[in-house]
Amino acid sequence: MSVTPSAPSRAAEILSRPVSLNGLTVPNRIVMAPMTREFSPGGIPGDDVVSYYARRAAAGVGLIVTEGTYVGHPSAGLSDSIPRFHGEEQLAGWAKVAAEVHAAGGTIVPQLWHIGMVREQGQPPFADAPAVGPSGLRIGADEPTGRAMTQDDLDDVIDAFAEAAAAAERIGFDGIELHGAHGYLLDQFLWAGTNRRTDSYGGDPVARTKFAAEIVAAVREKVSAGFPILFRYSQWKQDAYQARLAETPQELEAILAPLAAAGVDAFHASTRRYWEPEFDGSDLNLAGWTKKLTGRPVVTVGSVGLDGDFFSAFRGEGSSTRGIDDLLDALERDEYDLVAVGRALLQDPLWARKVLDGRTGELQAYEASALKTLR
């Protein structure tokens, strides 16, 4: 899709509007999407990570959602180079990130993460920790390869998320995002394919939402009333791109309503291509349906500014630029409120500034080599 001559000024007008997420005012509609970067040895974000985020805030990104960062539970992760959101040195590093983003004029929330059954026994940062999940099942497996979580396990993870959220507010972040997407722990509870429990945490869609809703409620209790809670979710999973939490809007509402009631202030609806309709008979994408069903502010995401989805990047493929007129149309119709940009911002830290200044002719095609550096 080409960018029409009128698009540059129109993009600036539509994307420059501020938006409120509970007590936070985001200065514009551009969000940096969370993207895993393994540049934090020992789970500690260093000066290069500080610069990486501050550079994008200075170039006009209104809200930064950090890469996924592990909560304080031994089974939460699988790498010692992915940042953690617990521990004195780790939190000191994150405090520097938040301070520099604010100095550059941006706002920032950490994405709090537990990978659940994506973990394999023996992986760092805590090699002795078992893989745990709702039923001990990896995606696509019929037999357990890990441990089904006990009530004590559930309580420990809930506490870990709540403590991380409290730490985020204490060290100067503007809110938090809970990672409930892509086949990780919270999503493993939401999806029938990995949640085979017969207790109150399994069964119908509302029951499968109970664990995530309890995390949201615990976070809400630990932070101030105006501190925003974002919740990222998806239909697709790792290694199961066609998986779906909900086949109909009614099923989706059954999942989202308990999360909203528990205290979610905004949803982040993750799709591979934002321009694809979610359900038959409507042009609304997943973010559009999320706002229609919950009334909460919503972030859309999925190959913004590019013509190929991000899985191609992991195969070493690039993507050409793609116009955003359809995105602007939907924002004008208030189908959703913010737009998260991923690979285009990895490729070009100045992406937001170029779009807001009408310099769309300077936008760069994505090269897969951008994954390998922290520019």
Side-chain angles (χ1 to χ4, degrees), residues 16-245:
S16 293
R17 297 173 298 164
V19 62
S20 295
L21 305 177
N22 194 348
L24 173 67
T25 298
V26 180
N28 63 49
R29 303 303 175 105
I30 300 175
V31 178
M32 182 176 180
M35 292 170 284
T36 297
R37 314 306 310 279
E38 295 196 50
F39 289 92
S40 297
I44 303 166
D47 290 343
D48 54 347
V49 177
V50 173
S51 298
Y52 165 75
Y53 287 116
R55 190 176 299 120
R56 285 152 177 85
V61 173
L63 173 65
I64 289 171
V65 182
T66 74
E67 61 206 286
T69 178
Y70 300 144
V71 297
H73 184 263
S75 298
L78 52 64
S79 169
D80 198 39
S81 297
I82 289 174
R84 304 199 286 272
F85 215 83
H86 60 97
E88 184 175 348
E89 290 182 277
Q90 289 81 3
L91 291 176
W94 280 120
K96 291 179 182 178
V97 172
E100 289 301 313
V101 166
H102 291 154
T107 62
I108 185 168
V109 302
Q111 187 187 70
L112 305 181
W113 191 21
H114 192 303
I115 69 170
M117 287 302 304
V118 174
R119 175 179 170 77
E120 296 181 4
Q121 185 73 38
Q123 289 180 314
F126 304 105
D128 294 337
V132 298
S135 303
L137 292 170
R138 293 177 66 87
I139 292 171
D142 291 323
E143 297 296 329
T145 57
R147 194 180 79 211
M149 295 173 73
T150 65
Q151 187 63 55
D152 285 344
D153 293 327
L154 298 172
D155 292 342
D156 287 346
V157 171
I158 291 168
D159 288 345
F161 274 99
E163 290 299 327
E169 185 169 28
R170 184 174 67 250
I171 66 175
F173 279 80
D174 298 297
I176 59 100
E177 177 171 281
L178 300 173
H179 196 340
H182 307 166
Y184 296 113
L185 181 63
L186 275 64
D187 193 25
Q188 289 161 23
F189 274 85
L190 296 176
W191 189 43
T194 43
N195 186 344
R196 313 283 179 83
R197 297 177 75 98
T198 57
D199 62 3
S200 61
Y201 292 94
D204 64 27
V206 174
R208 296 197 304 270
T209 305
K210 180 180 179 183
F211 179 55
E214 288 183 348
I215 290 174
V216 173
V219 168
R220 186 79 278 161
E221 286 187 6
K222 280 281 189 177
V223 299
S224 61
F227 194 69
I229 299 172
L230 286 74
F231 190 94
R232 195 179 212 210
Y233 82 100
S234 66
Q235 297 262 42
W236 63 272
K237 324 297 171 201
Q238 288 192 74
D239 303 321
Y241 303 147
Q242 304 306 313
R244 298 174 69 78
L245 293 179

Side-chain angles (χ1 to χ4, degrees), residues 139-373:
I139 292 171
D142 291 323
E143 297 296 329
T145 57
R147 194 180 79 211
M149 295 173 73
T150 65
Q151 187 63 55
D152 285 344
D153 293 327
L154 298 172
D155 292 342
D156 287 346
V157 171
I158 291 168
D159 288 345
F161 274 99
E163 290 299 327
E169 185 169 28
R170 184 174 67 250
I171 66 175
F173 279 80
D174 298 297
I176 59 100
E177 177 171 281
L178 300 173
H179 196 340
H182 307 166
Y184 296 113
L185 181 63
L186 275 64
D187 193 25
Q188 289 161 23
F189 274 85
L190 296 176
W191 189 43
T194 43
N195 186 344
R196 313 283 179 83
R197 297 177 75 98
T198 57
D199 62 3
S200 61
Y201 292 94
D204 64 27
V206 174
R208 296 197 304 270
T209 305
K210 180 180 179 183
F211 179 55
E214 288 183 348
I215 290 174
V216 173
V219 168
R220 186 79 278 161
E221 286 187 6
K222 280 281 189 177
V223 299
S224 61
F227 194 69
I229 299 172
L230 286 74
F231 190 94
R232 195 179 212 210
Y233 82 100
S234 66
Q235 297 262 42
W236 63 272
K237 324 297 171 201
Q238 288 192 74
D239 303 321
Y241 303 147
Q242 304 306 313
R244 298 174 69 78
L245 293 179
E247 295 293 343
T248 67
Q250 292 75 25
E251 291 178 0
L252 184 60
E253 185 174 21
I255 294 166
L256 298 179
L259 296 171
V264 169
D265 296 299
F267 288 94
H268 189 171
S270 178
T271 55
R272 296 169 66 191
R273 305 173 186 90
Y274 75 84
W275 55 87
E276 293 182 345
E278 191 57 39
F279 300 113
D280 291 341
S282 169
D283 290 335
L284 291 176
N285 71 357
L286 186 63
W289 274 109
T290 301
K291 184 169 184 179
K292 181 175 182 177
L293 294 171
T294 68
R296 297 290 196 270
V298 180
V299 183
T300 195
V301 69
S303 303
V304 173
L306 300 172
D307 67 355
D309 69 44
F310 68 89
F311 293 107
S312 61
F314 295 106
R315 297 192 296 267
E317 301 173 15
S319 294
S320 299
T321 59
R322 179 185 190 275
I324 58 171
D325 283 351
D326 53 351
L327 181 77
L328 300 176
D329 291 342
L331 282 166
E332 275 196 314
R333 294 191 296 265
D334 290 324
E335 291 179 9
Y336 37 77
D337 303 275
L338 300 107
V339 53
V341 184
R343 287 169 298 137
L345 270 171
L346 284 189
Q347 178 68 39
D348 185 359
L350 301 178
W351 188 93
R353 178 54 54 208
K354 290 175 181 178
V355 171
L356 293 171
D357 288 349
R359 294 152 48 202
T360 52
E362 299 178 24
L363 297 177
Q364 301 175 16
Y366 173 76
E367 299 176 1
S369 60
L371 281 174
K372 301 176 182 178
T373 61

